Amino acid sequence: MTLSRRTLLASVCLTVLRVPAVAADPGDQIRKLVIVSAAQASDPQEFQAAQLLAQAWRQLGLDIEVKGMPRPQLSDLVWNTRDKWDMTMWRMVGRPERSDPDEFAYNLFNPATAATGYDFVGYDNPNYMKIAEAQRSELDQGKRKQLIYEAQDAINKDQPYIFLVYPKNVLAYDKSVWKQSTVVEQSGIGIRSFWTYLRAEPLSAQKDMITNAAEAMLALNPLYISGAIDSWLTEIIWDRLMRVGPDGLPIPWAAEKVVQVDPNTVDCVLRPGQKWHDGNPMTVDDVVFSFKAPGMGDKSPMYKPFVANIKDVVVVDARTVRFTLKTPSAAFEASTLAKINLIPKHVWEPILKGLADKPQNVETVQEPIPIGSGPFKVSRYKLQEEIVLEANPDYWEKPKMSRWILRVVTNVGATLGMLARGEVNFLTDYRGDPKILDDIAKQQKDLEIAATVDMGFRFVAPNLRRPPFDDVNFRKALSLTINRNLMAQAAWNGYAVPANSHVSAALPFWYKGEQHKPNLDAAKKVLEQAGYHVVGGRLHYPDGKKEELQSLN
């Protein structure tokens, strides 16, 4: 007896998915899906994680390709052409102001930032945004914690990101060059911190801290952070009214005093005698401009969300600035006062005026010599090669080192060679096998290693603008197949913690610690219930669904 086409199809579906036969014709076969990742030489952990994902997802009947590329090209593709990619390996790095969960909870998934800002995957859930907005204005810490828990549950349900690990920042330094007690390990950040750069004491005539970056920078701009490396420099070139201390709590900084006048009013009193790197005095007018500039239309898409809750900022007297908020904000100190870079009005006001009638925004601007007021000032730079900063002699707490030098070395092996030869004395960016670094430290007794769980996270970002990633069931199935414990061990060699949330395990008060266990059968069941079919070992869309390939190229 000859089987009909429909009966044969049902038999295949039953065998592969282990579910009851579906008497219907499948939709189009799902096309090859591409994961874009950093190149293997520059970020072997990320590249290997992408390969592990591809292996897992092929078990669902998917054709997966991993495409490695240099980080600048990867960033340009993902950030600037938001409908032209399927999935990308990505990371949110730990920054001091992110010790409060607001930045990740509110900005990452805010559809208002989908075109040019942080919501680069195109997630849009009004119910989630209600939770994200509520946690911002809840001043009762216990109630706010519950809202942050709800936010984590909502993201877990929708899977706009597929979380992988909270990496451990594995860094090293030469303790014959730098006094150990002055190297500061910041909670959720590690020893690569503002406090280390400010206070590390040299032990000899070598007073330059020579650091490294595993990728080239795209910009050196106080209103644009294109990646992790940029943030390290903006923190020390441009000052902030508050800083997040080593314990993760915000403290007054460029403002010597911060006063909560009432739930909607905050006064900041500036330290006297502060100067810009070009010698001009920093004034209260500069501070007002620094917080108003990011809110000027869409000219500063990255920083606009951090000033959105400011109703007004005005001068009270020669040293005092008053912030009036639209709603009370539990995270205002950490997420705004410790986030916004102070910029000189005399430099940036003409720049903004020049952009007023142009399509470009401030992210396209590169000052010939950037002017800040922080503890280090720019001496010279080539974004693809080297940045040299000098200690600012006019800073109210002058750094102990003479210069801070960043050398761009995209190859992990070359970086280790430079460390062994003393050409780098503070390893700030290591993406290779941590055990290799351990072995080197055993041979070189002056090498000190520190590993800190990051408050950031590694993830794969599915592009929700493109099918099949616009289907939450498809995203859930992808997530269910991943063995995160294996990934932490295999790709990060044990120097990572499995991730399940946009709030890191490094923030134990806010973190809702529920781990995801891999379950291939459950993933297949989710797909079957959503109408997907497997035919000849390849996954097809639900009945009748067509994919216009030309619209996806």
Side-chain angles (χ1 to χ4, degrees):
M1 179 177 176
T2 303
L3 292 174
S4 69
R5 176 178 178 274
R6 189 176 298 274
T7 303
L8 180 60
L9 170 62
S11 176
V12 171
C13 289
L14 179 63
T15 301
V16 178
L17 284 177
R18 302 179 186 174
V19 298
V22 178
D25 290 325
D28 283 350
Q29 177 178 298
I30 293 176
R31 71 186 188 284
K32 176 190 291 185
L33 303 177
V34 178
I35 306 172
V36 290
S37 164
Q40 185 173 14
S42 64
D43 197 334
Q45 296 169 328
E46 179 173 293
F47 189 82
Q48 185 175 357
Q51 296 287 355
L52 291 172
L53 291 172
Q55 291 174 20
W57 293 340
R58 287 172 187 138
Q59 297 177 81
L60 297 174
L62 293 168
D63 183 6
I64 305 289
E65 176 187 353
V66 176
K67 184 176 182 181
M69 59 180 65
R71 182 72 66 179
Q73 287 93 317
L74 175 65
S75 296
D76 182 63
L77 170 67
V78 172
W79 204 254
N80 297 322
T81 56
R82 299 195 170 197
D83 59 346
K84 300 299 183 184
W85 47 273
D86 286 329
M87 297 177 280
T88 181
M89 304 299 290
W90 208 252
R91 55 184 172 152
M92 288 296 172
V93 299
R95 296 176 187 159
E97 64 273 16
R98 291 173 173 174
S99 61
D100 186 286
D102 177 71
E103 181 175 341
F104 285 160
Y106 182 77
N107 292 294
L108 293 189
F109 308 111
N110 187 339
T113 69
T116 55
Y118 277 112
D119 185 17
F120 68 100
V121 298
Y123 179 62
D124 187 356
N125 183 339
N127 290 327
Y128 175 81
M129 285 308 299
K130 288 179 181 178
I131 300 169
E133 289 167 355
Q135 65 82 24
R136 305 192 97 192
S137 58
E138 180 53 70
L139 301 182
D140 182 289
Q141 194 176 55
K143 292 179 180 178
R144 185 173 179 232
K145 177 179 181 178
Q146 293 306 312
L147 288 167
I148 292 295
Y149 277 12
E150 287 182 35
Q152 292 175 76
D153 287 340
I155 294 302
N156 181 47
K157 180 180 178 181
D158 286 350
Q159 295 287 316
Y161 290 175
I162 299 174
F163 301 101
L164 302 176
V165 298
Y166 308 116
K168 290 183 179 178
N169 290 324
V170 183
L171 309 173
Y173 64 96
D174 188 333
K175 59 187 177 185
S176 71
V177 176
W178 302 106
K179 187 176 180 179
Q180 282 186 271
S181 62
T182 64
V183 174
V184 182
E185 183 171 5
Q186 184 165 359
S187 176
I189 299 289
I191 60 172
R192 183 187 56 220
S193 71
F194 173 85
W195 306 106
T196 289
Y197 300 151
L198 183 67
R199 294 171 177 168
E201 292 183 17
L203 292 171
S204 67
Q206 168 57 283
K207 299 184 184 301
D208 292 345
M209 181 173 281
I210 307 172
T211 69
N212 74 296
E215 61 191 58
M217 290 178 56
L218 298 181
L220 196 53
N221 180 329
L223 295 169
Y224 175 46
I225 305 297
S226 67
I229 316 300
D230 307 31
S231 68
W232 309 343
L233 283 107
T234 55
E235 280 184 4
I236 57 179
I237 297 171
W238 288 274
D239 221 349
R240 299 172 186 178
L241 290 177
M242 300 188 79
R243 294 276 182 181
V244 175
D247 61 358
L249 300 176
I251 57 176
W253 198 248
E256 67 177 6
K257 185 166 64 173
V258 177
V259 180
Q260 186 85 41
V261 178
D262 60 49
N264 289 68
T265 308
V266 177
D267 283 354
C268 293
V269 181
L270 296 185
R271 294 183 184 276
Q274 296 179 83
K275 295 181 181 180
W276 299 108
H277 294 156
D278 60 5
N280 285 292
M282 182 204 291
T283 69
V284 285
D285 290 331
D286 290 313
V287 174
V288 169
F289 177 80
S290 298
F291 285 86
K292 285 190 172 181
M296 294 178 180
D298 293 318
K299 292 302 182 182
S300 181
M302 181 167 285
Y303 279 87
K304 186 176 181 178
F306 303 105
V307 299
N309 192 41
I310 298 175
K311 182 178 180 181
D312 201 7
V313 52
V314 298
V315 171
V316 175
D317 58 40
R319 288 178 53 204
T320 307
V321 173
R322 171 163 290 179
F323 294 87
T324 303
L325 308 183
K326 297 174 184 176
T327 61
S329 173
F332 182 66
E333 290 186 350
S335 296
T336 299
L337 297 183
K339 172 74 176 181
I340 297 297
N341 296 308
L342 299 179
I343 57 176
K345 184 177 180 180
H346 65 277
V347 171
W348 282 93
E349 187 173 48
I351 292 173
L352 283 167
K353 286 181 178 178
L355 292 171
D357 298 322
K358 297 178 181 178
Q360 294 88 354
N361 62 39
V362 294
E363 296 179 0
T364 64
V365 174
Q366 181 58 68
E367 297 172 79
I369 293 293
I371 302 298
S373 63
F376 291 88
K377 58 183 181 179
V378 178
S379 174
R380 65 179 186 271
Y381 69 95
K382 289 185 178 180
L383 296 176
Q384 309 298 312
E385 300 175 16
E386 184 181 67
I387 295 93
V388 178
L389 308 182
E390 295 178 355
N392 178 7
D394 295 323
Y395 199 65
W396 60 277
E397 184 180 341
K398 185 180 176 181
K400 303 296 190 298
M401 69 184 72
S402 296
R403 297 190 300 175
W404 187 91
I405 300 171
L406 179 78
R407 290 176 175 161
V408 177
V409 187
T410 58
N411 184 280
V412 173
T415 300
L416 290 176
M418 292 175 70
L419 182 68
R421 295 188 298 272
E423 296 169 16
V424 167
N425 60 40
F426 205 105
L427 187 71
T428 50
D429 195 3
Y430 182 64
R431 304 179 190 182
D433 185 345
K435 291 187 177 179
I436 295 176
L437 194 58
D438 277 336
D439 291 340
I440 294 174
K442 290 174 183 177
Q443 298 171 12
Q444 296 182 231
K445 300 303 182 182
D446 288 332
L447 195 63
E448 184 73 15
I449 296 176
T452 308
V453 177
D454 201 322
M455 67 175 70
F457 49 88
R458 294 283 191 133
F459 63 106
V460 59
N463 195 336
L464 276 58
R465 301 171 179 85
R466 294 162 64 98
F469 308 106
D470 56 347
D471 181 357
V472 65
N473 295 296
F474 186 81
R475 302 195 301 269
K476 286 180 178 178
L478 295 183
S479 184
L480 279 167
T481 65
I482 302 170
N483 187 331
R484 291 166 172 84
N485 282 307
L486 173 63
M487 184 164 291
Q489 294 298 321
W492 276 270
N493 222 330
Y495 284 81
V497 175
N500 64 315
S501 166
H502 54 295
V503 178
S504 171
L507 305 174
F509 180 80
W510 303 107
Y511 172 64
K512 188 173 185 181
E514 296 177 359
Q515 294 300 325
H516 294 170
K517 295 181 179 180
N519 192 328
L520 180 61
D521 288 338
K524 291 178 177 180
K525 185 68 174 177
V526 167
L527 290 172
E528 183 272 327
Q529 290 178 340
Y532 291 83
H533 306 274
V534 173
V535 182
R538 290 294 305 274
L539 190 66
H540 286 241
Y541 283 103
D543 301 343
K545 181 168 181 177
K546 303 296 180 183
E547 184 172 80
E548 299 295 333
L549 290 179
Q550 63 268 25
S551 69
L552 301 175
N553 297 322

